[in-house]
């Protein structure tokens, strides 16, 4: 079928919002109503734990141009107790941004400060100050999975290791765009432009916050900024509350500093992993404990930290436990790929430690223990929709010349005196999975062109564009004949779901495919009558905006001709298909319930300067199998972007708090560093999309956004291979390297 | 007109000279009334044309930014400005002129307003984006008097007389420029927030060096962040953007 | 930013007088000042911002009788690109070209780069969160706190790193700072807590004597990123040669020091020596002698030593 595809996977199809992006006209929420709106800023609590006793905003309100101040009394979701530095206390709406910012300094707040704890290890000690979210402590058990008999498993082992790693680095969810909302009320209907990953979800959120029926809310989103998981609901409610109070349009602009104080931080975590294996390398037991630092979020998504080890590696006896710790620091939450980057790091240090003790090559050890397609999930018993992890690992190794250049840790010094290291890692990533809960509508115009009605955010790599590919392919239209039209407006679109979990392409894509099949059925039914003599719809096929007879392709009519005579062809879907295999995969038959996970691997080669602590990436190839590539340029851009994020996580990303006060020390782009143009080793980075075919996703597609960003830990392993010392706390900065070498 | 050319070539010009020499071209689009402006508070009016539909057609008038008096011709407005609000006449504090993408704006700005804020909210040009507000990301880059600057760190009141180019001015005769078409072809964008800044730095580079090396492009854009991770394509877009 | 008045100074005297009257702050390029105002990092905010950029004759690069003279408001880009500066004062041109980013260099001035405020992250916390020793408070919070990038040399109560790139080669080149009140060698311009500009004083010119012909110079800098970042550690070396041996030299450290830090012990170790790895190693060891690490910045001693050693070797 692949060679019959005309739109899907073809290079050169242009992003649906390309012109808007290169003209600066794509609208972020604060790009609207210029010159007509009020501007809002939020005041954060200066204490890590405090109760607001009183707020005197009189001086702020006297400032020329200030129109309103709101506090927890006006904003749904705000309590009077604050749990971290920066927790929102009040907000101001004023005639311009600077006036709003200055007004914040005039608001007098008295606090009753409370004991606080910022360090997660301290928070776990008995007698630690209470963070205040749980009544009786600062920890909670989040995951407790038992498989087989771990004690027996260790008894069978010839070799055991115990490895402790972490705390891993916190990084802040602070993309370029994000955290902006423009809201207004018209009569009693709330309107809000948001940069959201989930417009329909926001819609429900606003309705809940303000106790409104859903048909009195309208949410809009065009440019969403980088959508890496930073939830913004509590922040957005502020704009709406100020709009209500002032009766005007209010634009809340959170600059990057605000993002650091009130946005979501990726959680730090640590592990204690005990492994048991036979001398031939077969795993017999896993006892893995993880801890995650949630900040003030009592349930961030680190419950799946064990995932990488639990899902992709064969072991009949295993315990996986995750304990959550809360602290008086900003809330943790989702950041692109969530639990996998740190979870893979914690896993890979343990796997390599076991390989070393066994005297086995770390890649061979992994190849021995990864599941094959014939094996289902060990805990749920559900089959995988495909599994090419072995191929991804081997391709990664080949790309860096691993077989002929690998060596023992610390064994190779380059001519210039630097230490050389290589590593290959991989796992089955939990993102990019399939699910059926999305809606889609498509409409055909009288001239045979088509709009997709996308009730979904536009993600940076053009998932809206990918949806047009599904529709064009299924309807047999040229790519240019399908457009997104407007998108993201909840009052006029079907709920397309959330851009999250790398599911936008494949899950919404399934809904669009079904909607397109629906429209195709109507089209073919009408077209069949237009042939002379008439034919049956089953006799027809379509491509390149022509509907033709399968048995005689030269007999055709155009979509345009059909639509001219059959107007208002509308295709709809309120779900995708059930999660069962759409065709045979390995030993599994079509119709078998299945789970879609994305195989990802990486090979890295580094040179470590032991005098300065600097690490140069000589080669870093990431091989990800995202199934069928749909929007070619978007998918490859996404894969390179994944390498960029992994590079950032390995060498730069760390959000640092002052341990005593809990205040962020680097709430900005200057010290929470995104690598810039001169920092990136372009020639060394290589992204490969392997293109297997998943048995679940539409046209065999999975999701790309996160599986391609899962493996910064390959650098940890490569550095160990270079210097024979583990850096257990990323990022791998010169400070850490020199310390590991005993030079600091 | 030689005097208009002088305005653009010299860059920095005095306010008085500007009012004397140049035609005052109003910024923004024709609006039905001045009520739109006063909703934002006082003291920051913009010279606007006011076009009213009357029996038999439309009437256009030119409004003074200080006292909202309306005049039938630009020449009459100029005379009024010089005589009533000229130097020594008071009321000129914060009055600046900006030439943005070839259009002249007369604006009364507050000292704290940055150039970025003024371009967006007063010249109604939201193409320049401002994610960080601190000169740490490059998205707000515009070309000012021939050099790339972070408009979030320029005070508008100090940009009086400046010649400024923003992303809104890149089209050539209404068509996308070669650089913009290169950004489309190479997919030099993801979320779009950093893109206008990269485009302006690209313009400045290519006007000086139409065939840069990749390394020269990387050096030129070293003041830009692209957090989505599209740096390689942003660079490639500029690299191929000269033709 | 607070609500301030804005004045365009017409002359140096006017600017000095406004500054001296108090509650006014001078604005050159603005790339440092505005960031301090946006975050309200200081205990008080200025009532007036005085723009210096309309003052004529402060933006120039010229050589007069062998002395390089740079006006206080000269942009860093122009210094980096000047054939005059690149000719005989190449380490200064190099340093000016490594500051931050092209846009900052287009806006930022040499005097601003020399007089900019500390980038210590305790100092820079918004709303004067830590009213620290440097701002008139009692303690330096970096000492018990996170001092990973703080000074290993020159700490006297305050351990703020030194953010200026250009001050380092200017010190190695023996520059003089000229103000509206005095001329002072740059070596005497900085104090442990700032600089010695008086209340009504501003920099008007930087003068740099001509190095002897055949002088070798280098400015070498380490930061986590190659743009945007302030120097974590840097060094400027100016050396005159006698055959293949160093005759005389100046070695000045920057970044993880509280002010430009001339290391005469290292200079003495290099004088009369050939430039090779062994000698460079010995000189570099001298350069970091006396470094006092805080709990988290000991790595900077090794890093600085490596930086100095490699800078010397590359002079050959």
């Amino acid at each position: 079928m692949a060679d019959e595809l005309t739109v899907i996977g073809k290079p050169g199809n242009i992003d649906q919002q390309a012109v808007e992006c290169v003209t600066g006209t794509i609208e972020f929420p604060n790009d609207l109503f210029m010159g007509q709106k009020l501007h809002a800023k939020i005041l954060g609590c200066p204490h890590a734990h405090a109760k607001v006793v009183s707020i005197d905003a009189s001086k702020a309100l006297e400032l020329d141009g200030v129109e309103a101040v709101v506090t927890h009394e006006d904003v749904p979701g705000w309590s009077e107790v604050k749990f971290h530095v920066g927790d929102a206390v009040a907000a101001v709406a004023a005639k311009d941004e600077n006036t709003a910012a200055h007004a914040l300094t005039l608001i007098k707040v008295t606090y009753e400060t409370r004991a606080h704890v910022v360090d997660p290890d301290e928070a776990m000690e008995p007698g630690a100050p209470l963070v205040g979210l749980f009544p009786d402590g600062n920890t909670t058990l989040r995951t407790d999975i038992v498989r087989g008999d771990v004690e027996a498993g260790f008894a069978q082992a010839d070799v055991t290791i115990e490895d402790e790693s972490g705390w891993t680095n916190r990084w802040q969810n602070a993309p370029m765009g994000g955290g902006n909302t423009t809201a207004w009320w018209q009569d009693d209907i709330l309107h809000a432009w948001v940069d959201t990953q989930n417009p329909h979800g926001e819609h429900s959120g606003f309705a809940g916050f303000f106790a409104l029926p859903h048909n009195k809310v309208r949410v809009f989103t065009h440019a969403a900024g980088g959508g890496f998981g930073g939830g913004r609901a509590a922040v957005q409610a502020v704009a709406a509350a100020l709009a209500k109070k002032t009766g005007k349009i209010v634009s809340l602009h959170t600059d990057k500093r605000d993002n650091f104080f009130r946005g979501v931080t990726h959680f730090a975590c640590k592990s204690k992993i005990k492994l048991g294996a036979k001398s031939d390398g077969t795993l017999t037991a896993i006892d893995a404990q993880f801890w995650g630092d949630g900040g003030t979020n009592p349930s961030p998504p680190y419950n799946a930290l064990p995932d990488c080890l639990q899902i992709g590696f064969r072991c009949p006896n295993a315990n996986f436990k995750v304990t959550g710790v809360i602290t008086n620091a900003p809330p943790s939450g989702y950041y692109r790929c969530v639990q996998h980057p740190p979870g893979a790091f914690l896993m890979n240090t343990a796997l390599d430690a076991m390989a070393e003790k066994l005297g086995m090559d770390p890649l061979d050890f992994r190849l021995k223990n990864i599941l094959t397609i014939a094996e289902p999930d060990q805990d749920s018993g559900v089959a995988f929709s495909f599994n090419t992890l072995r191929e991804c690992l081997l391709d990664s190794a080949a790309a860096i010349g691993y077989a002929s250049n690998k060596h023992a840790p610390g064994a190779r010094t380059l001519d210039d005196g630097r230490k050389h290291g290589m590593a290959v890692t991989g796992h089955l990533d939990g993102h990019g999975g399939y699910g059926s809960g999305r809606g889609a509508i498509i409409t055909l115009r009288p001239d045979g062109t088509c709009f997709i009605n996308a009730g979904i955010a536009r993600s940076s790599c053009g998932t809206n564009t990918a949806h047009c590919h599904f529709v064009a392919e299924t309807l047999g239209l040229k790519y240019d004949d399908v457009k997104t039209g407007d998108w993201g407006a909840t009052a006029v679109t079907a709920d397309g779901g959330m851009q999250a979990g790398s599911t936008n392409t494949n899950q919404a894509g399934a809904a669009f495919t079904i909607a397109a099949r629906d429209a195709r059925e109507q089209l073919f039914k009408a077209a069949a009558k237009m042939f002379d003599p008439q034919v049956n719809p089953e006799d027809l096929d379509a491509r390149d905006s022509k509907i033709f007879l399968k048995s005689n392709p030269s007999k055709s009519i155009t979509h345009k001709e059909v639509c001219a005579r059959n107007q208002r062809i509308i295709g709809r879907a309120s779900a995708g298909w059930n999660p069962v295999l759409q065709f045979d995969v390995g030993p599994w038959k079509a119709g078998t319930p299945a789970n879609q996970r994305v195989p990802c691997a990486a090979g890295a080669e580094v040179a470590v300067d032991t005098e300065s602590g600097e690490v140069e990436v000589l080669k870093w190839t990431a091989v990800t199998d995202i199934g069928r590539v749909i929007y070619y340029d978007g998918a490859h851009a996404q894969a390179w972007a994944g390498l960029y994020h992994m590079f950032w996580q390995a060498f730069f990303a760390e959000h640092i708090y002052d341990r005593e006060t809990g205040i962020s020390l680097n709430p900005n782009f200057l010290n929470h560093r995104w690598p810039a143009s001169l920092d990136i080793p372009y020639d060394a980075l290589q992204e490969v999309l392997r293109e297997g075919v998943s048995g679940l996703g539409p046209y065999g597609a999975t999701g790309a956004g996160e599986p391609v960003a899962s493996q910064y830990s390959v650098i940890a392993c490569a550095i160990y291979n270079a210097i024979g010392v583990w850096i257990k706390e990323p990022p791998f900065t010169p400070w850490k390297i020199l310390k590991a070498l005993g030079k600091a | 007109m030689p005097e208009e050319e002088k305005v653009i070539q010299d860059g920095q010009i005095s306010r008085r000279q500007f009012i004397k020499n140049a035609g005052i071209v109003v910024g923004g689009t024709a609006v039905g009334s001045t009520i739109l402006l006063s909703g934002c508070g006082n003291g920051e009016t913009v010279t606007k044309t006011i076009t009213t539909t009357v029996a038999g057609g439309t009437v256009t008038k030119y409004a003074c930014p200080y006292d909202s008096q309306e005049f039938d011709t630009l020449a009459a407005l100029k005379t009024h400005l010089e005589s009533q609000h000229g130097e020594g006449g008071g009321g000129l504090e914060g009055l600046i002129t900006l030439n943005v993408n070839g259009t002249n704006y007369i604006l009364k700005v507050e000292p704290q307003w940055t150039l970025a804020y003024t371009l967006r909210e007063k010249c109604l040009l939201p193409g320049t984006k401002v994610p960080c507000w601190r000169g740490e990301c490059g998205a707000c880059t515009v070309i000012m008097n021939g050099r790339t600057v972070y408009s979030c760190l320029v005070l508008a009141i100090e940009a009086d007389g400046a010649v400024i180019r923003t992303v809104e001015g890149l089209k050539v005769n209404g068509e996308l420029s070669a650089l913009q078409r290169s950004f489309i072809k190479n997919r030099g964008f993801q979320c779009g927030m950093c893109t206008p800044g990269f485009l302006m730095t690209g313009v400045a580079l290519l006007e000086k060096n139409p065939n840069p090396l990749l390394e020269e492009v990387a050096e030129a854009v070293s003041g830009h962040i692209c957090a989505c991770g599209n740096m390689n394509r942003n660079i490639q877009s500029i690299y191929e953007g000269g033709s | 930013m607070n609500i301030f008045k804005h004045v365009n100074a017409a002359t140096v005297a006017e600017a000095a007088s406004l500054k001296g009257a108090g509650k006014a702050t001078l604005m050159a390029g603005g790339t440092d000042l505005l960031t301090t105002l946006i975050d309200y990092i200081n205990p008080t905010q200025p009532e007036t911002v005085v723009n210096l950029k309309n003052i004529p004759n402060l933006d120039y690069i010229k050589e007069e009788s062998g002395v390089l003279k740079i006006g206080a408001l000269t942009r860093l880009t122009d210094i980096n690109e000047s054939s005059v500066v690149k000719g005989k004062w190449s380490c200064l041109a190099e340093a000016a070209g490594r500051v931050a980013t092209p846009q900052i260099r287009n806006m930022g001035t040499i005097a601003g780069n020399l007089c900019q405020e500390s980038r210590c992250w305790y100092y820079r916390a918004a709303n004067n969160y830590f009213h620290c020793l440097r701002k008139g408070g009692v303690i330096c919070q970096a000492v018990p706190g996170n001092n990973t990038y703080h000074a290993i040399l020159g700490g006297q109560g305050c351990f703020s790193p030194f953010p200026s790139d250009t001050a380092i080669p200017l010190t190695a080149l023996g520059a003089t700072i000229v103000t509206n009140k005095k001329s002072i060698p740059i070596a005497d311009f900085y104090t442990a807590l700032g600089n010695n500009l008086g209340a009504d004083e501003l920099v008007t010119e930087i003068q740099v004597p001509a190095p002897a012909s055949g002088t070798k110079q280098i400015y070498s800098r380490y930061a986590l990123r190659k743009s945007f970042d302030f120097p974590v550690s840097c060094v400027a070396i100016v050396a005159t040669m006698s055959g293949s041996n160093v005759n005389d030299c100046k070695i000045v450290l920057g970044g993880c020091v509280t002010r430009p830090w001339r290391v005469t012990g290292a200079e003495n170790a290099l004088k009369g020596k050939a430039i090779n790895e062994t000698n460079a190693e010995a000189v570099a060891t001298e350069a970091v002698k006396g470094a006092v690490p805080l709990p988290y910045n000991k790595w900077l001693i090794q890093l600085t030593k490596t930086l100095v050693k490699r800078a010397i070797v590359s002079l050959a």
Side-chain angles (χ1 to χ4, degrees), chain A residues 242-326:
Chain A
L242 283 165
K244 197 167 198 189
K245 208 161 186 178
T246 59
K248 294 186 176 169
I249 306 171
V250 174
S251 194
L252 173 70
H253 175 213
T254 57
D255 66 19
K256 282 314 120 203
R257 207 179 128 260
D258 296 329
N259 259 162
F260 281 85
F261 282 108
R262 276 175 291 285
V264 154
T265 302
H266 186 276
F267 43 82
C269 43
K270 69 173 187 178
S271 63
K272 191 156 150 183
I273 298 180
K274 193 171 164 200
L275 299 176
K278 291 268 180 234
S279 48
D280 71 353
T282 310
L283 280 169
T284 62
I286 299 171
D287 182 10
Q289 294 178 61
F290 300 87
W291 290 263
D293 175 3
T296 46
N297 183 351
S299 57
Y302 43 55
N303 43 308
L305 270 172
D307 227 54
C308 301
L309 185 55
Q310 177 200 352
I311 305 295
F313 289 84
R314 184 186 314 110
C315 185
N317 312 294
N319 282 351
F320 300 102
K321 227 190 196 99
V322 179
T323 302
V325 186
I326 52 171

Side-chain angles (χ1 to χ4, degrees), chain C residues 4 163 194 249:
Chain C
F4 51 76
C249 63

Side-chain angles (χ1 to χ4, degrees), chain A residues 15 22 30-31 35 37 39 95-98 176 253 255 458 460-461 631 640-641 645 668-669 677 682, chain B residues 40 110 112-113 117 120-121 129-131 133-134 136 180 187 190 199 218 222 225 227-229 232 235:
Chain A
D15 189 278
V22 305
N30 57 349
D31 291 339
K37 55 192 193 240
H39 299 264
K95 66 182 175 75
D96 62 73
E97 277 157 6
N98 190 73
M176 292 284 273
H253 175 213
D255 66 19
R458 173 187 181 273
S460 308
C461 282
Y631 167 30
W640 197 90
H645 272 201
N668 50 57
F669 276 176
S677 59
Y682 303 96
Chain B
C40 314
E110 293 180 15
Q112 296 77 34
W113 290 0
Y117 175 79
R120 288 171 54 82
E121 293 283 342
K129 310 297 180 193
V130 197
W133 276 114
R134 278 167 184 77
E136 294 173 352
Q180 287 171 307
R187 208 177 191 277
Q190 287 198 22
L199 282 162
S222 59
I225 298 297
C228 289
N232 60 337
I235 289 175

Side-chain angles (χ1 to χ4, degrees), chain A residues 14-15 17-19 21-24 26 28 30-31 33-37 39 41 64 67 95-99 174-178 180 223 225-226 228 248 253-257 336 458-462 631 633-634 636-638 640-641 644-645 668-670 674-678 680 682, chain B residues 36-37 39-42 44 110 112-113 117 120-122 124-134 136-139 167-168 170-171 176 180-181 183-185 187-196 199 215 217-233 235:
Chain A
I14 301 295
D15 189 278
Q17 279 81 46
V19 173
C21 285
V22 305
T23 54
I26 192 165
F28 292 84
N30 57 349
D31 291 339
F33 310 110
M34 309 313 286
Q36 299 177 54
K37 55 192 193 240
H39 299 264
K41 291 295 256 185
D64 179 43
E67 297 219 7
K95 66 182 175 75
D96 62 73
E97 277 157 6
N98 190 73
T99 301
M176 292 284 273
N180 301 309
F228 301 111
K248 294 186 176 169
H253 175 213
T254 57
D255 66 19
K256 282 314 120 203
R257 207 179 128 260
R336 187 180 194 175
R458 173 187 181 273
S459 68
S460 308
C461 282
Y631 167 30
D633 286 331
H636 283 281
Q638 187 70 292
W640 197 90
Y644 174 81
H645 272 201
N668 50 57
F669 276 176
L670 182 63
W674 285 112
S677 59
L678 300 174
I680 302 167
Y682 303 96
Chain B
L36 192 65
L37 307 171
C40 314
N42 41 26
E44 71 324 302
E110 293 180 15
Q112 296 77 34
W113 290 0
Y117 175 79
R120 288 171 54 82
E121 293 283 342
K122 303 305 164 189
L124 307 186
L125 298 170
T128 301
K129 310 297 180 193
V130 197
C132 88
W133 276 114
R134 278 167 184 77
E136 294 173 352
C137 78
V167 67
E168 286 94 344
L170 293 190
K171 281 186 171 173
L176 296 172
Q180 287 171 307
R181 284 185 274 112
F183 268 75
I184 289 179
K185 170 177 169 267
R187 208 177 191 277
F189 57 87
Q190 287 198 22
C191 78
M193 180 64 94
C194 74
T195 314
L199 282 162
E215 292 79 8
V217 178
E219 181 71 50
V221 300
S222 59
H224 290 271
I225 298 297
C226 171
C228 289
N230 207 55
M231 189 64 79
N232 60 337
R233 287 167 184 263
I235 289 175

